[in-house]
Amino acid sequence: MKGNDDSVELVDSKSLRIGMFVELDVGWLAHPFPVGSFKISSAKQVETLRGLGMERIRINLAKSDPDPAELAAAAAKPVLDADATERAQAIRREAALRQQRAELLASQQRSLVVCERRFGDAVRQYKKMLEAIPTQPKAAAEHCHTLVSTFVGDMLGDGDSAIRLLSEAAGDKSSMHPVNVTVVSLLLAKAMGLQQAELIDLGMAAFLHDVGKAQLPDRVRWLEENFSTAEYKLYQDHVAKSVQAAKAMELSKGALLAIAQHHELTDGSGFPTRAKGETMTVGARILALVNRYDNLCNPSRPATAMTPHESLSLIFSQLKTRFDTAALSAFIRMMGVYPPGSVVQLIDDRYGMVVSVNSSRPLKPRIIVHEAGVSRHEALILDLEQAPNIGIRRSLKPTGLPSAAMDFLAPRQRVSYFFERVVDSQMGTLA
């Protein structure tokens, strides 16, 4: 029995064999495999699949290896003419390309799954830490230090780091925001040459800069343009409350200062002390910039969100006097003109969304591109560094996408980031 796609067939589970590409039509909790679509590589996987209790399992024939029995039969037949030889070579080339594409897709999926799990773990740790601070501040600080030290160690390892857009917003703004800000602040600080101890201080400050908001009424936890004077003053109090919590946790002086100054601006227009740039620590200057960027991308009301490209453009064109020049220049170099999450149109008129930027080579991001007839989970990520003849024509709002591209790209209401090591084998070169 075949599905709607001629390349997909429902196969009796007893007929499963190594080399078949399965597509499980069940949730990930209903099976023990890391992903729901994969090529069977062992007899144990065959046994596990048969044990799921499914009479028929969907097989993608285009991605499956040919049946060894059929190949043997074909090899036994004499080659009648040159055309037959050429056809056989074409079949082998096509099979090799299918195999390469399948491996690239699997690599993409594995990398994304790892990033999303780590982001989700960090969000959960943040929530637990908030609960622990009032009664166990030192224990909360130790957990935070372990998390941040792991991030820093991974970033300082060999190779470049890429800023990765996640497929879903894992958590609400109050828990996503500190993880976003921590990841991007650390990558920026690394790009600016900060040393390990400074990175850990900054990471602690970034992860904890808003913990004081837990003591505020819900209505003033996130800044709104229509705040009354009293509400704005109450909102500003979260800085002092965050510093108070950080002192109870016995954080370092560098982390305390960055938390205390994360809403200060280099032109003296920030709060709570209207400190100017020369009196702000380097960590505070980085944190103030990244905090503002994430709040533009992820405001309390998603309807007012700017795209990452718009947020970066606004900061550079209208707000650059408020931020440290060195930090802003390094931030733009790191994020590129089109940060992850930006919706773009390519010079060949296709639409796509930037999903990853190599922090040391930002002008050639990786993009998922809308292709007619290709489902989203089958789309290879296009690495512009490997496609010199393809470039970005312009950025646009998601509302400017054609309906088919909108459904395919599914722009996020909230933008969440993590980091991954750049590995050449993860780069799509067939798209």
Side-chain angles (χ1 to χ4, degrees), residues 304-413:
T304 64
M306 293 184 175
T307 67
H309 174 75
E310 288 174 328
S311 300
L312 196 61
S313 296
L314 175 70
I315 291 173
F316 181 74
S317 63
Q318 299 181 33
L319 306 178
K320 61 183 175 183
T321 59
R322 301 181 185 180
F323 299 102
D324 179 71
T325 301
L328 181 55
S329 297
F331 188 55
I332 293 171
R333 287 195 302 272
M334 179 183 80
M335 297 295 276
V337 177
Y338 304 101
S342 299
V343 176
V344 298
Q345 185 177 29
L346 302 179
I347 59 175
D348 59 9
D349 291 332
R350 291 182 296 172
Y351 295 96
M353 183 163 57
V354 178
V355 296
S356 179
V357 171
N358 182 337
S359 59
S360 67
R361 291 173 287 176
L363 298 181
K364 294 290 186 178
R366 297 169 65 207
I367 301 173
I368 185 167
V369 181
H370 171 233
E371 298 277 9
V374 178
S375 65
R376 181 180 176 83
H377 73 279
E378 293 295 323
L380 277 177
I381 292 173
L382 174 63
D383 180 9
L384 291 187
E385 192 166 1
Q386 305 297 327
N389 296 325
I390 301 176
I392 296 173
R393 173 180 294 165
R394 62 179 178 131
S395 172
L396 65 159
K397 281 183 171 292
T399 52
L401 287 170
S403 58
M406 172 72 85
D407 293 341
F408 179 92
L409 297 174
R412 294 90 171 106
Q413 279 195 313

Side-chain angles (χ1 to χ4, degrees), residues 116 119 166-172 176 298 412-416:
E116 291 187 335
F119 185 93
L166 304 186
S167 62
E168 298 293 340
D172 56 21
M176 302 172 35
N298 298 306
R412 294 90 171 106
Q413 279 195 313
R414 294 202 182 281
V415 176
S416 48

